[in-house]
Every structure is written in C-alpha cells, then in structure tokens.
Amino acid sequence: MWTNEQIEQWKLRRSVYLEDKASIAHNKDIDQRRSHAQSEMIQLLNSFLDGTITLKEFNTVFQQKTQGAWNAFHLQGMSGGLFLNKLVKHVPSEDTFGHLFRLMIRVPEETPDGRRQMQAFVRFLEGLIASQQITRAQLQPGRVPFFLSAWWHIQNPERWPIFYLDVRQALLTEETRSKELQDPVEAYFVFRTHFLALTQALGISPWELEHLASWCARRDVETSDVGKAQPSADAGNNHHVSSQKRTCVLASRTEAKNRNDAAAVTRGEESGAHMEERMISCRTHLQWLLAKLGHKVGCRVWIAASDHSKVCQHERLGNLSLPSLPVVADTPFQQIIRQIDVLWLLDDNVVAAYEIEQAHTDVSISLLRLYDLGALFPERKVHLCVVAPQDRFERVRFELSRPTFRGHVLRKHCALISEELLFQQEAHILRWASSPVVIEELICSVSDQEKR
C-alpha cells in the first residue's frame, strides 16, 4: 500500500503543515463546526431512517442547512445537496425510492456491504437512464460515491472518508484517478483503502489527514496558478499582456543598473498587477534560459507542463521541453516531480532540478518537491537548485534550517543560484557552457559573489 519511503514523505509534509499556524487554526475551527453539524445531521438522518419524516422533508432540511450551519462539510455542491435535490425531483415513485434510499444511506457494517450498497445505487440509476425514465443529464450515477460516502462519514468518520476531489488528488496517482470514469465505485474503495492506511501509518485522525491532504493539494495548485499557470497570450484577457512583449523585472533591473537609470524600475505609477505580470514573465525567461542551457550542454529538458504554452524570445516553452516526462519514479512521486520548474535529464536520469523562487511564490513547497526528488535517488548525484533573487537567499536558508529539513539530504545538497547572475551572464553562459558541470560553476560564482 504505502512504502516506508512514501510514509516518510507524508510525515515531512505534515511537519511543514503543522508549521502553518493560520491553516491549523482555520482547520481547528472547521472541526469544531463539523462536530456540531455532525450531531444535528445524525438527528435528521435518524428521523428519516425511522420514518418520522419523508424524503422530501429530509431534503428540505438538508438543502437549508448545507447552505449555512452545515457548510463545514462542503456538501452543497453538484455531488451533495444539488444531487439529492435532483434525486427527489426526477426519480419516480417517491415511496419506492424512499425505501431504497434508506437502505443505501445507512452506514455499512463492513467493506463488502458498502461496495454492494454503492454498486446497487449506481445500478438503480443506470436502470432508470436505460429505461428512459430519467436522462443522464438529470442525474449522473458517477456522483453516487461522493454522496453516499458523505453520509456514511457522518455516521462513522473513522471508517468512511468523504470522496473529496482535492483529497484524492493528493493521495492517488494520476493513473488511478483516471480510472474513476470507468468505475467510480471501485475508485472510491481504492481511495478509501489508501486513506485509512495512511491515517494508521501517520497516527492521525481522518479529519486531520483530510486537512493535510487538502492543504498539500491547495498549496500545489496555488504555486502552479500563481507562478506556473498564467493564461496564454491569446486567452482573450484584456489585462493579460503578451509574454513576447513583457519586460522581465530583473532583466530590467540589470539594464537599469548598467545604465544607472534607477527610474526605469522604480516608477511609482506601476500597478501591483502589472508588476506581478512582469515577475511572472521574469520566471518564464528563467525557464527559457535554463532550458536553452540544458540543451546546450547535451541534456534533455523537461519544463513543468502547465508552462508549456508560455512564450519567451518568440519561442514556446513547450517546444523546448520533452512532450512528457519519462518515468523517473514510482507514482505518486512522478506527479510531484513533473511539477518542478525545469529538469535536466541524461538518458532518463535526472541530473539537475531547478525551482524558481520569487516574491509571490512559497519556497517551502518548492523545497519539498526538491526533497522528494533527492530522497528518491539518495545514491545518485542530482543537483537540486533554487534559483532566486539574492534578497530571497536568506529566506531559502531559513526554510532549510527548519527542523523539518535538519539532517536531510536536501539541506546538504540544495544549491542557490542567483537570478541576477544568470541575467547578467546570460549571453556569455550560453556561449561557453559545454557540459552539465556548468551548474557547479554557477553555484561557485554565487558563493564568490556573496563573499565579495
């Protein structure tokens, strides 16, 4: 199920998560609200199960409460409250369906019972669709696992995790998640097996693992969205400036410094939004430069897939990257590694990894990705590099000094490369670089520059 190495990775992620005091406080508040909501939901459910209230009455209360006091469980969406509303509206014969629904929603005693209940509910809906009593547009059977798992969780949270999208994205491999459309019921039970095994391995509660997994997924998305997933130049956004026409912040700083023209980078009228766009362009320029340099020294290059549509120097980054990352690790770490900004490979072996840090990015997430890569190949020499402005160096060093990384290979082998140096020496580096050892020369140059 989970290897010892994978469990250690999750322990490391948890230690970083526990340092995020704002998230811890927020999730503690959620848990308190959940405890109160859970009690009320069980009361409502018991009233429905014993026949005190009808299905329509059950639905009416559920719709009202999920929009307010019960929203801590996030059950008001397409697979929660809206799904139940459609069931009540479109499924014929309320009495017959009400009886079946009571059987399905009651928490199973054992895993095989749960699988049978979930499969029976899906088959029931598929039968209605096949007989044309309802359409697939009105009710999607694939939403059954989330809906039933939510109600089973309310009754027994220790054994039945909710099938949240972000949690399963964090726990399951991309290949496993791709099978959900083929058999959503089996996908849930694969997820459940992974989830329960990890709670036991980490010694934490289901709610804590849910928060941890959600935090990991959210932080990855935030990092990707802010630094990696900006819309392409033809996206139709009036506020988006073509990356071919943007001016890189640090390149502008360097030019301004060379011209003694500080005004070029300190104009007070420059808006925060425009400055952020220029910073993102700067990041794209660095990816382009590292990719060109990698090809120059004989490496194959991978650029994070979410950046393939970006353009720098009239070249699309995707044209400089492998179309897909070769399998370099067991899943789920393959999915983590492919999010690294730039990778250099000789054959199918990663020889260098670069994470680009700027003021709007979270360095801890980048360091975790580099740690994952280094930990996967402890006997192999892999250059783990953080490319950052020099004024961010102390922040990176501070993160590496945390107990989380103390004694780990990352702290010993992580290298800092100056953005300013790369920009200043860009043309020269692209001319003289002849082998991957150029990385060591750049790192040495940074050290020398710091000493001076």
Side-chain angles (χ1 to χ4, degrees):
M1 179 53 59
W2 295 99
T3 65
N4 290 336
E5 189 174 44
Q6 289 171 335
I7 292 171
E8 288 303 312
Q9 302 298 319
W10 276 103
K11 288 180 178 178
L12 177 61
R13 293 187 182 95
R14 181 170 179 253
S15 66
V16 176
Y17 163 69
L18 292 174
E19 294 176 359
D20 187 345
K21 302 304 181 185
S23 292
I24 295 296
H26 175 71
N27 290 333
K28 183 177 180 180
D29 177 67
I30 288 177
D31 289 348
Q32 290 175 347
R33 291 190 289 120
R34 280 185 169 188
S35 295
H36 182 71
Q38 181 184 15
S39 176
E40 292 186 350
M41 292 174 76
I42 288 176
Q43 291 180 17
L44 174 68
L45 180 61
N46 288 337
S47 296
F48 173 65
L49 293 177
D50 64 20
T52 302
I53 60 175
T54 66
L55 177 59
K56 284 186 177 179
E57 291 170 332
F58 174 80
N59 180 49
T60 297
V61 175
F62 183 68
Q63 300 299 330
Q64 293 172 347
K65 291 287 191 176
T66 53
Q67 299 298 327
W70 297 354
N71 65 1
F73 283 103
H74 305 291
L75 303 181
Q76 62 268 41
M78 293 296 295
S79 298
L82 293 177
F83 182 67
L84 176 59
N85 212 33
K86 289 185 176 183
L87 286 172
V88 174
K89 179 179 179 181
H90 295 296
V91 174
S93 182
E94 179 185 348
D95 291 341
T96 300
F97 176 63
H99 175 70
L100 173 65
F101 189 67
R102 287 181 174 89
L103 294 176
M104 299 298 102
I105 205 172
R106 193 184 300 273
V107 63
E109 293 184 3
E110 302 293 341
T111 299
D113 300 323
R115 183 178 274 105
R116 282 192 293 269
Q117 286 176 221
M118 201 171 277
Q119 289 172 339
F121 200 173
V122 170
R123 284 196 297 269
F124 171 75
L125 296 179
E126 291 287 0
L128 293 178
I129 293 170
S131 63
Q132 299 183 342
Q133 296 182 66
I134 60 174
T135 66
R136 194 171 296 277
Q138 292 171 328
L139 285 171
Q140 295 86 36
R143 300 191 184 279
V144 167
F146 177 90
F147 183 79
L148 284 186
S149 68
W151 279 105
W152 295 349
H153 178 83
I154 296 302
Q155 299 167 77
N156 191 341
E158 297 297 322
R159 297 195 60 210
W160 299 100
I162 300 177
F163 202 32
Y164 289 118
L165 176 61
D166 57 350
V167 179
R168 62 185 190 257
Q169 285 177 335
L171 266 61
L172 300 180
T173 66
E174 187 174 5
E175 179 182 1
T176 302
R177 297 198 309 270
S178 68
K179 297 178 181 179
E180 288 181 18
L181 293 177
Q182 302 174 19
D183 190 345
V185 173
E186 189 57 34
Y188 171 73
F189 281 90
V190 170
F191 161 78
R192 175 177 178 260
T193 300
H194 281 76
F195 187 99
L196 296 181
L198 193 55
T199 58
Q200 184 175 5
L202 298 180
I204 59 179
S205 70
W207 284 359
E208 185 176 356
L209 178 56
E210 179 194 311
H211 293 321
L212 170 61
S214 180
W215 178 86
C216 291
R218 184 173 64 254
R219 295 291 284 270
D220 283 343
V221 168
E222 287 173 354
T223 302
S224 176
D225 285 348
V226 174
K228 300 182 180 178
Q230 297 298 316
S232 60
D234 58 355
N237 187 334
N238 292 333
H239 298 290
H240 181 73
V241 181
S242 170
S243 57
Q244 292 182 0
K245 299 180 181 179
R246 290 176 181 166
T247 303
C248 172
V249 170
L250 291 179
S252 295
R253 286 180 185 170
T254 301
E255 291 170 5
K257 184 176 181 181
N258 292 340
R259 296 193 312 266
N260 294 318
D261 184 15
V265 292
T266 58
R267 289 192 294 266
E269 67 271 14
E270 182 168 21
S271 69
H274 183 56
M275 176 61 79
E276 182 174 341
E277 284 194 332
R278 293 177 66 190
M279 292 181 71
I280 292 165
S281 175
C282 173
R283 181 181 169 282
T284 302
H285 190 152
L286 285 165
Q287 286 178 294
W288 173 86
L289 175 56
L290 290 168
K292 298 289 282 189
L293 184 56
H295 288 300
K296 178 72 165 52
V297 299
C299 294
R300 297 198 296 165
V301 174
W302 166 256
I303 298 174
S306 56
D307 294 325
H308 283 191
S309 63
K310 295 180 181 179
V311 177
C312 181
Q313 303 294 343
H314 305 285
E315 285 188 275
R316 183 175 172 272
L317 292 189
N319 295 338
L320 299 174
S321 173
L322 293 166
S324 60
L325 179 65
V327 176
V328 297
D330 293 333
T331 53
F333 298 110
Q334 178 81 4
Q335 178 65 18
I336 295 172
I337 293 171
R338 68 194 301 271
Q339 296 177 44
I340 293 175
D341 291 327
V342 179
L343 296 173
W344 289 0
L345 300 95
L346 289 175
D347 297 323
D348 287 340
N349 297 322
V350 177
V351 294
Y354 302 89
E355 285 281 14
I356 299 169
E357 291 307 311
Q358 295 180 323
H360 62 285
T361 57
D362 186 338
V363 66
S364 62
I365 297 300
S366 297
L367 291 176
L368 279 174
R369 281 197 286 261
L370 292 177
Y371 171 80
D372 286 340
L373 178 61
L376 286 170
F377 309 110
E379 305 301 324
R380 188 186 303 170
K381 186 176 182 179
V382 180
H383 292 283
L384 308 174
C385 304
V386 176
V387 182
Q390 287 186 338
D391 60 10
R392 291 275 286 174
F393 278 17
E394 287 305 312
R395 178 63 184 176
V396 177
R397 292 192 183 99
F398 173 77
E399 292 294 335
L400 285 171
S401 70
R402 288 177 179 270
T404 299
F405 297 110
R406 191 169 297 156
H408 288 300
V409 67
L410 178 62
R411 190 178 181 188
K412 298 177 181 178
H413 299 292
C414 183
L416 287 169
I417 296 179
S418 165
E419 284 186 352
E420 291 88 344
L421 177 69
L422 284 177
F423 283 125
Q424 290 168 0
Q425 302 295 326
E426 176 177 331
H428 181 58
I429 293 171
L430 288 175
R431 280 198 304 270
W432 61 254
S434 59
S435 77
V437 297
V438 65
I439 308 169
E440 298 173 1
E441 296 297 327
L442 292 172
I443 295 168
C444 180
S445 296
V446 172
S447 300
D448 291 344
Q449 193 173 36
E450 289 177 341
K451 291 175 184 177
R452 289 195 296 269

